[in-house]
Structures are given as C-alpha cells and as structure tokens.
Amino acid sequence: MLNNTNAQNDIARIKSNYGVCLFELGEHEQSLNMINEALGYITIENDPIFFANTEMMLGIVSLFLLGVKGENMSSFEGILFEGIEAYRKALIVYNLKDYPKKYGSIMLNLARLMLMKEEHYKDGSWLIAKHYYDNILLESLGSGLSEARKEYDVIGKRLIEMTTNTHIKR
C-alpha cells in the first residue's frame, strides 16, 4: 500500500470508477474484483463518504450477480457474504439520522440478501431480513423514506411467504 494518502485515494477512485464502467458493460464479476481492489486503497478514516459509497457499490454488484446467476454460481457463498459485509460497513457512515434515504436503501438491500441467504441455507436468516424490513418500515413513517414503500411491500410479501413455509415454522 502506498504511503501517500492522496495517491491512495486517486488510485481508489480510478479503480472504483473502472469497476462501475465494467458493471455498465456487463462485466459484473470483473466489476466486483475491481471494486474490491479499490477498497484496498481507502479507509473509512481517510474518506468516509467515498468508502461507504464504494462499499455500497460492492453490495449492489453482489446483489445483482446473485439475483441474475443465483445459486448456479460457484462463488455464490462468497459473493453473498461479501455483499452482506459491504452493506454493513456502509451503514457505519450512512446512519438513519444523517442519511435517511441511503440508510433505507442499504437496509432494504440487506433484507434482500438475507432472504437469499435464507433460501440457500434455511438457517433462520429471514428473521434478520424481517428485522431490517421492520426497521425500514418504522423509520419510513417519519424519515422521508415513504417513496420507497412499494419496494418494501415486495420484501414484506416475500417475508410473509417465508413465514408460512413449513421449513420456517418453529
């Protein structure tokens, strides 16, 4: 890693932007790799917003790959956990009080990833998804998140389906 923080940030921005370009070009797995490389050059202390945005992009690419290729991917498990961890790191910066819309988007995508995890492992991850979903729903009443209610309702319907499945009834 370079000693010069400005040079590190420049390299991170170039790699992050290149990762976004790769994503736009349909090179999703390469995009994931490039965004991971970018994260090797930045820290939350040096540039918290850029760090959080890059983690969010990693989460978005992970969620997209999992949604498109699903469990047929040989790297399904790694990408799933990488996406969950990326969104959790972004939440360190994007809290409800200061960034309600970003917070809501992250929580919604975390709920989606936890539902994927539940579908794969049948490990009770739907409870965590429900927690994220309930948190967003409660906060949407007074935090400017109400425009995303339709998306929340999709997740809510999936959670209702999951709670009625026999493998989840406890």
Side-chain angles (χ1 to χ4, degrees), residues 62-109:
S62 299
L63 187 59
F64 178 83
L65 272 170
L66 294 169
V68 169
K69 296 189 178 181
E71 295 183 27
N72 297 327
M73 296 177 63
S74 60
S75 53
F76 173 85
E77 186 173 298
I79 292 173
L80 175 68
F81 288 104
E82 188 172 50
I84 291 168
E85 184 63 22
Y87 280 125
R88 287 181 176 162
K89 285 180 181 177
L91 280 174
I92 295 169
V93 175
Y94 290 129
N95 59 62
L96 175 63
K97 180 182 176 221
D98 298 325
Y99 305 95
K101 290 182 182 178
K102 293 244 185 196
Y103 175 86
S105 173
I106 293 168
M107 293 295 275
L108 180 65
N109 286 337

Short mmCIF file of all heavy atoms in Angstrom, two decimals, residues 62-109:
data_model
loop_
_atom_site.label_atom_id
_atom_site.label_comp_id
_atom_site.label_asym_id
_atom_site.label_seq_id
_atom_site.Cartn_x
_atom_site.Cartn_y
_atom_site.Cartn_z
N SER A 62 -22.85 -7.27 -5.92
CA SER A 62 -23.08 -8.60 -5.32
C SER A 62 -24.54 -8.99 -5.44
O SER A 62 -24.87 -10.11 -5.86
CB SER A 62 -22.66 -8.60 -3.85
OG SER A 62 -21.30 -8.32 -3.71
N LEU A 63 -25.42 -8.09 -5.05
CA LEU A 63 -26.86 -8.36 -5.11
C LEU A 63 -27.30 -8.65 -6.54
O LEU A 63 -28.06 -9.57 -6.80
CB LEU A 63 -27.63 -7.17 -4.52
CG LEU A 63 -29.12 -7.32 -4.33
CD1 LEU A 63 -29.47 -8.47 -3.41
CD2 LEU A 63 -29.70 -6.02 -3.77
N PHE A 64 -26.79 -7.88 -7.48
CA PHE A 64 -27.13 -8.08 -8.89
C PHE A 64 -26.66 -9.46 -9.36
O PHE A 64 -27.43 -10.20 -9.97
CB PHE A 64 -26.51 -6.98 -9.76
CG PHE A 64 -26.80 -7.17 -11.22
CD1 PHE A 64 -28.00 -6.73 -11.76
CD2 PHE A 64 -25.89 -7.80 -12.04
CE1 PHE A 64 -28.28 -6.92 -13.11
CE2 PHE A 64 -26.16 -8.00 -13.39
CZ PHE A 64 -27.36 -7.56 -13.92
N LEU A 65 -25.40 -9.78 -9.09
CA LEU A 65 -24.87 -11.08 -9.52
C LEU A 65 -25.67 -12.23 -8.94
O LEU A 65 -25.99 -13.20 -9.63
CB LEU A 65 -23.41 -11.21 -9.09
CG LEU A 65 -22.36 -10.68 -10.05
CD1 LEU A 65 -20.99 -10.66 -9.40
CD2 LEU A 65 -22.33 -11.49 -11.33
N LEU A 66 -25.98 -12.14 -7.67
CA LEU A 66 -26.74 -13.19 -7.02
C LEU A 66 -28.15 -13.29 -7.59
O LEU A 66 -28.70 -14.38 -7.75
CB LEU A 66 -26.80 -12.96 -5.51
CG LEU A 66 -25.45 -13.07 -4.80
CD1 LEU A 66 -25.57 -12.57 -3.37
CD2 LEU A 66 -24.90 -14.48 -4.84
N GLY A 67 -28.75 -12.14 -7.90
CA GLY A 67 -30.10 -12.14 -8.46
C GLY A 67 -30.15 -12.70 -9.86
O GLY A 67 -31.11 -13.37 -10.24
N VAL A 68 -29.12 -12.45 -10.65
CA VAL A 68 -29.10 -12.90 -12.03
C VAL A 68 -28.65 -14.35 -12.14
O VAL A 68 -29.27 -15.16 -12.82
CB VAL A 68 -28.18 -11.99 -12.89
CG1 VAL A 68 -27.92 -12.58 -14.26
CG2 VAL A 68 -28.78 -10.60 -13.02
N LYS A 69 -27.56 -14.67 -11.46
CA LYS A 69 -26.98 -16.01 -11.62
C LYS A 69 -27.38 -16.97 -10.51
O LYS A 69 -27.32 -18.17 -10.67
CB LYS A 69 -25.46 -15.91 -11.69
CG LYS A 69 -25.02 -15.13 -12.92
CD LYS A 69 -23.55 -15.21 -13.12
CE LYS A 69 -23.16 -14.46 -14.39
NZ LYS A 69 -21.75 -14.52 -14.64
N GLY A 70 -27.77 -16.41 -9.37
CA GLY A 70 -28.27 -17.23 -8.28
C GLY A 70 -27.31 -18.30 -7.80
O GLY A 70 -26.10 -18.14 -7.86
N GLU A 71 -27.88 -19.37 -7.33
CA GLU A 71 -27.10 -20.43 -6.72
C GLU A 71 -26.31 -21.24 -7.73
O GLU A 71 -25.55 -22.11 -7.34
CB GLU A 71 -28.02 -21.32 -5.89
CG GLU A 71 -28.63 -20.58 -4.72
CD GLU A 71 -29.48 -21.47 -3.84
OE1 GLU A 71 -29.25 -22.68 -3.78
OE2 GLU A 71 -30.39 -20.93 -3.20
N ASN A 72 -26.47 -20.96 -9.01
CA ASN A 72 -25.69 -21.66 -10.02
C ASN A 72 -24.25 -21.19 -10.06
O ASN A 72 -23.41 -21.80 -10.71
CB ASN A 72 -26.33 -21.47 -11.40
CG ASN A 72 -27.72 -22.07 -11.47
OD1 ASN A 72 -27.99 -23.07 -10.82
ND2 ASN A 72 -28.59 -21.45 -12.24
N MET A 73 -23.96 -20.10 -9.39
CA MET A 73 -22.60 -19.57 -9.37
C MET A 73 -21.74 -20.41 -8.43
O MET A 73 -22.15 -20.75 -7.33
CB MET A 73 -22.58 -18.13 -8.85
CG MET A 73 -23.29 -17.15 -9.72
SD MET A 73 -23.27 -15.51 -8.98
CE MET A 73 -21.53 -15.19 -8.96
N SER A 74 -20.51 -20.69 -8.87
CA SER A 74 -19.60 -21.44 -7.99
C SER A 74 -19.19 -20.58 -6.80
O SER A 74 -18.87 -21.10 -5.75
CB SER A 74 -18.37 -21.89 -8.78
OG SER A 74 -17.68 -20.76 -9.29
N SER A 75 -19.24 -19.27 -6.97
CA SER A 75 -18.81 -18.36 -5.90
C SER A 75 -20.00 -17.75 -5.15
O SER A 75 -19.86 -16.71 -4.50
CB SER A 75 -17.94 -17.26 -6.48
OG SER A 75 -18.59 -16.63 -7.56
N PHE A 76 -21.17 -18.39 -5.22
CA PHE A 76 -22.39 -17.87 -4.61
C PHE A 76 -22.17 -17.48 -3.15
O PHE A 76 -22.47 -16.36 -2.74
CB PHE A 76 -23.52 -18.91 -4.70
CG PHE A 76 -24.77 -18.52 -3.94
CD1 PHE A 76 -25.72 -17.71 -4.54
CD2 PHE A 76 -24.98 -18.95 -2.64
CE1 PHE A 76 -26.87 -17.34 -3.86
CE2 PHE A 76 -26.13 -18.58 -1.95
CZ PHE A 76 -27.07 -17.77 -2.56
N GLU A 77 -21.64 -18.40 -2.37
CA GLU A 77 -21.49 -18.17 -0.93
C GLU A 77 -20.57 -16.98 -0.64
O GLU A 77 -20.89 -16.12 0.17
CB GLU A 77 -20.93 -19.43 -0.27
CG GLU A 77 -20.87 -19.35 1.23
CD GLU A 77 -20.47 -20.68 1.84
OE1 GLU A 77 -21.20 -21.66 1.66
OE2 GLU A 77 -19.41 -20.70 2.49
N GLY A 78 -19.43 -16.92 -1.33
CA GLY A 78 -18.50 -15.82 -1.11
C GLY A 78 -19.09 -14.47 -1.46
O GLY A 78 -18.93 -13.50 -0.74
N ILE A 79 -19.79 -14.42 -2.59
CA ILE A 79 -20.40 -13.16 -3.02
C ILE A 79 -21.53 -12.76 -2.09
O ILE A 79 -21.69 -11.58 -1.76
CB ILE A 79 -20.86 -13.26 -4.49
CG1 ILE A 79 -19.64 -13.37 -5.40
CG2 ILE A 79 -21.72 -12.07 -4.88
CD1 ILE A 79 -19.95 -13.63 -6.85
N LEU A 80 -22.31 -13.72 -1.63
CA LEU A 80 -23.39 -13.44 -0.69
C LEU A 80 -22.85 -12.77 0.58
O LEU A 80 -23.31 -11.70 0.98
CB LEU A 80 -24.14 -14.72 -0.33
CG LEU A 80 -25.22 -14.60 0.74
CD1 LEU A 80 -26.39 -13.77 0.23
CD2 LEU A 80 -25.69 -15.97 1.19
N PHE A 81 -21.85 -13.39 1.18
CA PHE A 81 -21.31 -12.85 2.42
C PHE A 81 -20.55 -11.55 2.20
O PHE A 81 -20.57 -10.66 3.05
CB PHE A 81 -20.45 -13.90 3.14
CG PHE A 81 -21.28 -15.00 3.74
CD1 PHE A 81 -21.35 -16.24 3.14
CD2 PHE A 81 -22.04 -14.77 4.87
CE1 PHE A 81 -22.15 -17.25 3.67
CE2 PHE A 81 -22.84 -15.77 5.42
CZ PHE A 81 -22.89 -17.01 4.81
N GLU A 82 -19.92 -11.42 1.05
CA GLU A 82 -19.23 -10.18 0.71
C GLU A 82 -20.23 -9.02 0.58
O GLU A 82 -19.98 -7.92 1.06
CB GLU A 82 -18.47 -10.38 -0.61
CG GLU A 82 -17.56 -9.25 -1.00
CD GLU A 82 -16.72 -9.63 -2.20
OE1 GLU A 82 -17.27 -10.12 -3.21
OE2 GLU A 82 -15.50 -9.42 -2.12
N GLY A 83 -21.36 -9.28 -0.05
CA GLY A 83 -22.40 -8.26 -0.18
C GLY A 83 -22.97 -7.84 1.16
O GLY A 83 -23.15 -6.64 1.43
N ILE A 84 -23.24 -8.81 2.01
CA ILE A 84 -23.77 -8.51 3.36
C ILE A 84 -22.76 -7.66 4.13
O ILE A 84 -23.13 -6.63 4.71
CB ILE A 84 -24.10 -9.81 4.12
CG1 ILE A 84 -25.30 -10.52 3.48
CG2 ILE A 84 -24.34 -9.53 5.60
CD1 ILE A 84 -25.53 -11.94 3.97
N GLU A 85 -21.51 -8.06 4.11
CA GLU A 85 -20.47 -7.32 4.84
C GLU A 85 -20.29 -5.91 4.27
O GLU A 85 -20.13 -4.94 5.02
CB GLU A 85 -19.14 -8.08 4.79
CG GLU A 85 -18.05 -7.45 5.59
CD GLU A 85 -18.32 -7.37 7.10
OE1 GLU A 85 -19.16 -8.14 7.61
OE2 GLU A 85 -17.69 -6.52 7.76
N ALA A 86 -20.36 -5.77 2.95
CA ALA A 86 -20.20 -4.45 2.32
C ALA A 86 -21.30 -3.49 2.78
O ALA A 86 -21.02 -2.34 3.15
CB ALA A 86 -20.22 -4.59 0.80
N TYR A 87 -22.54 -3.96 2.77
CA TYR A 87 -23.64 -3.10 3.21
C TYR A 87 -23.52 -2.77 4.70
O TYR A 87 -23.82 -1.64 5.11
CB TYR A 87 -24.99 -3.74 2.92
CG TYR A 87 -25.43 -3.57 1.48
CD1 TYR A 87 -25.75 -4.67 0.70
CD2 TYR A 87 -25.53 -2.31 0.90
CE1 TYR A 87 -26.17 -4.52 -0.62
CE2 TYR A 87 -25.93 -2.15 -0.41
CZ TYR A 87 -26.25 -3.25 -1.17
OH TYR A 87 -26.65 -3.09 -2.47
N ARG A 88 -23.09 -3.71 5.50
CA ARG A 88 -22.92 -3.42 6.93
C ARG A 88 -21.85 -2.37 7.16
O ARG A 88 -21.99 -1.51 8.03
CB ARG A 88 -22.61 -4.70 7.69
CG ARG A 88 -23.83 -5.60 7.83
CD ARG A 88 -23.53 -6.85 8.60
NE ARG A 88 -24.75 -7.63 8.79
CZ ARG A 88 -24.75 -8.91 9.11
NH1 ARG A 88 -23.62 -9.55 9.30
NH2 ARG A 88 -25.89 -9.55 9.26
N LYS A 89 -20.78 -2.42 6.38
CA LYS A 89 -19.73 -1.40 6.51
C LYS A 89 -20.25 -0.03 6.07
O LYS A 89 -19.92 0.99 6.67
CB LYS A 89 -18.51 -1.79 5.68
CG LYS A 89 -17.70 -2.90 6.30
CD LYS A 89 -16.50 -3.25 5.44
CE LYS A 89 -15.70 -4.38 6.04
NZ LYS A 89 -14.58 -4.76 5.14
N ALA A 90 -21.07 0.00 5.01
CA ALA A 90 -21.63 1.27 4.55
C ALA A 90 -22.52 1.89 5.61
O ALA A 90 -22.59 3.13 5.74
CB ALA A 90 -22.41 1.06 3.25
N LEU A 91 -23.18 1.06 6.41
CA LEU A 91 -24.06 1.58 7.48
C LEU A 91 -23.29 2.30 8.59
O LEU A 91 -23.87 3.08 9.33
CB LEU A 91 -24.87 0.44 8.10
CG LEU A 91 -26.09 0.00 7.31
CD1 LEU A 91 -26.73 -1.23 7.97
CD2 LEU A 91 -27.11 1.11 7.16
N ILE A 92 -21.99 2.05 8.68
CA ILE A 92 -21.18 2.76 9.67
C ILE A 92 -21.22 4.25 9.37
O ILE A 92 -21.28 5.08 10.28
CB ILE A 92 -19.72 2.24 9.67
CG1 ILE A 92 -19.69 0.78 10.13
CG2 ILE A 92 -18.82 3.11 10.54
CD1 ILE A 92 -18.35 0.09 9.91
N VAL A 93 -21.22 4.60 8.10
CA VAL A 93 -21.26 6.01 7.69
C VAL A 93 -22.69 6.48 7.47
O VAL A 93 -23.10 7.53 7.96
CB VAL A 93 -20.44 6.21 6.39
CG1 VAL A 93 -20.58 7.64 5.89
CG2 VAL A 93 -18.99 5.85 6.62
N TYR A 94 -23.47 5.69 6.74
CA TYR A 94 -24.82 6.10 6.38
C TYR A 94 -25.82 5.68 7.44
O TYR A 94 -26.49 4.67 7.33
CB TYR A 94 -25.20 5.53 5.00
CG TYR A 94 -24.45 6.19 3.88
CD1 TYR A 94 -23.78 5.43 2.93
CD2 TYR A 94 -24.41 7.57 3.77
CE1 TYR A 94 -23.10 6.04 1.89
CE2 TYR A 94 -23.72 8.19 2.75
CZ TYR A 94 -23.07 7.42 1.81
OH TYR A 94 -22.39 8.04 0.80
N ASN A 95 -25.91 6.52 8.46
CA ASN A 95 -26.86 6.25 9.55
C ASN A 95 -28.21 6.88 9.24
O ASN A 95 -28.33 7.70 8.33
CB ASN A 95 -26.30 6.77 10.88
CG ASN A 95 -26.03 8.25 10.82
OD1 ASN A 95 -26.93 9.06 10.63
ND2 ASN A 95 -24.76 8.63 10.97
N LEU A 96 -29.19 6.48 9.98
CA LEU A 96 -30.56 6.94 9.75
C LEU A 96 -30.69 8.45 9.94
O LEU A 96 -31.35 9.13 9.14
CB LEU A 96 -31.52 6.21 10.68
CG LEU A 96 -32.97 6.66 10.63
CD1 LEU A 96 -33.56 6.42 9.26
CD2 LEU A 96 -33.78 5.94 11.68
N LYS A 97 -30.07 8.98 10.96
CA LYS A 97 -30.24 10.40 11.28
C LYS A 97 -29.70 11.32 10.18
O LYS A 97 -30.38 12.25 9.76
CB LYS A 97 -29.53 10.70 12.60
CG LYS A 97 -29.65 12.15 13.02
CD LYS A 97 -28.90 12.42 14.31
CE LYS A 97 -28.96 13.88 14.63
NZ LYS A 97 -27.72 14.42 15.12
N ASP A 98 -28.49 11.04 9.71
CA ASP A 98 -27.84 11.94 8.75
C ASP A 98 -28.15 11.62 7.29
O ASP A 98 -28.10 12.51 6.44
CB ASP A 98 -26.33 11.91 8.96
CG ASP A 98 -25.94 12.41 10.34
OD1 ASP A 98 -26.61 13.32 10.86
OD2 ASP A 98 -24.97 11.87 10.91
N TYR A 99 -28.44 10.36 6.98
CA TYR A 99 -28.65 9.93 5.60
C TYR A 99 -29.84 8.96 5.51
O TYR A 99 -29.67 7.79 5.20
CB TYR A 99 -27.39 9.22 5.06
CG TYR A 99 -26.13 10.04 5.16
CD1 TYR A 99 -25.26 9.91 6.24
CD2 TYR A 99 -25.81 10.95 4.16
CE1 TYR A 99 -24.10 10.66 6.32
CE2 TYR A 99 -24.66 11.71 4.24
CZ TYR A 99 -23.79 11.55 5.32
OH TYR A 99 -22.65 12.29 5.39
N PRO A 100 -31.04 9.43 5.78
CA PRO A 100 -32.18 8.50 5.86
C PRO A 100 -32.45 7.72 4.57
O PRO A 100 -32.79 6.55 4.63
CB PRO A 100 -33.37 9.40 6.23
CG PRO A 100 -32.94 10.78 5.89
CD PRO A 100 -31.45 10.82 6.01
N LYS A 101 -32.28 8.34 3.41
CA LYS A 101 -32.57 7.63 2.15
C LYS A 101 -31.52 6.56 1.87
O LYS A 101 -31.85 5.45 1.46
CB LYS A 101 -32.69 8.61 1.00
CG LYS A 101 -33.94 9.46 1.10
CD LYS A 101 -34.09 10.40 -0.05
CE LYS A 101 -35.34 11.24 0.15
NZ LYS A 101 -35.54 12.21 -0.91
N LYS A 102 -30.26 6.91 2.06
CA LYS A 102 -29.19 5.91 1.85
C LYS A 102 -29.35 4.78 2.86
O LYS A 102 -29.19 3.60 2.52
CB LYS A 102 -27.82 6.54 1.98
CG LYS A 102 -27.51 7.52 0.89
CD LYS A 102 -26.37 7.06 0.06
CE LYS A 102 -26.03 8.17 -0.93
NZ LYS A 102 -25.22 7.73 -2.00
N TYR A 103 -29.65 5.14 4.09
CA TYR A 103 -29.86 4.14 5.15
C TYR A 103 -30.99 3.18 4.75
O TYR A 103 -30.84 1.96 4.84
CB TYR A 103 -30.19 4.85 6.46
CG TYR A 103 -30.54 3.93 7.60
CD1 TYR A 103 -29.55 3.39 8.40
CD2 TYR A 103 -31.87 3.62 7.88
CE1 TYR A 103 -29.88 2.55 9.47
CE2 TYR A 103 -32.21 2.78 8.93
CZ TYR A 103 -31.21 2.26 9.73
OH TYR A 103 -31.53 1.43 10.76
N GLY A 104 -32.09 3.72 4.29
CA GLY A 104 -33.22 2.90 3.88
C GLY A 104 -32.87 1.98 2.73
O GLY A 104 -33.24 0.80 2.72
N SER A 105 -32.14 2.49 1.75
CA SER A 105 -31.73 1.69 0.60
C SER A 105 -30.81 0.54 1.04
O SER A 105 -30.97 -0.60 0.59
CB SER A 105 -31.00 2.60 -0.40
OG SER A 105 -30.46 1.85 -1.44
N ILE A 106 -29.88 0.84 1.91
CA ILE A 106 -28.96 -0.19 2.40
C ILE A 106 -29.72 -1.25 3.18
O ILE A 106 -29.52 -2.46 2.99
CB ILE A 106 -27.85 0.44 3.27
CG1 ILE A 106 -26.94 1.31 2.40
CG2 ILE A 106 -27.04 -0.64 3.99
CD1 ILE A 106 -26.00 2.20 3.20
N MET A 107 -30.61 -0.82 4.07
CA MET A 107 -31.37 -1.78 4.88
C MET A 107 -32.25 -2.67 3.98
O MET A 107 -32.38 -3.88 4.22
CB MET A 107 -32.22 -1.06 5.92
CG MET A 107 -31.39 -0.36 6.99
SD MET A 107 -30.45 -1.50 8.01
CE MET A 107 -31.69 -1.92 9.21
N LEU A 108 -32.84 -2.08 2.96
CA LEU A 108 -33.66 -2.84 2.03
C LEU A 108 -32.83 -3.90 1.31
O LEU A 108 -33.22 -5.06 1.21
CB LEU A 108 -34.32 -1.90 1.02
CG LEU A 108 -35.22 -2.55 -0.02
CD1 LEU A 108 -36.44 -3.17 0.64
CD2 LEU A 108 -35.64 -1.50 -1.03
N ASN A 109 -31.64 -3.51 0.85
CA ASN A 109 -30.78 -4.47 0.15
C ASN A 109 -30.22 -5.52 1.09
O ASN A 109 -30.04 -6.68 0.70
CB ASN A 109 -29.68 -3.74 -0.61
CG ASN A 109 -30.22 -3.06 -1.85
OD1 ASN A 109 -31.26 -3.44 -2.38
ND2 ASN A 109 -29.53 -2.04 -2.31
#
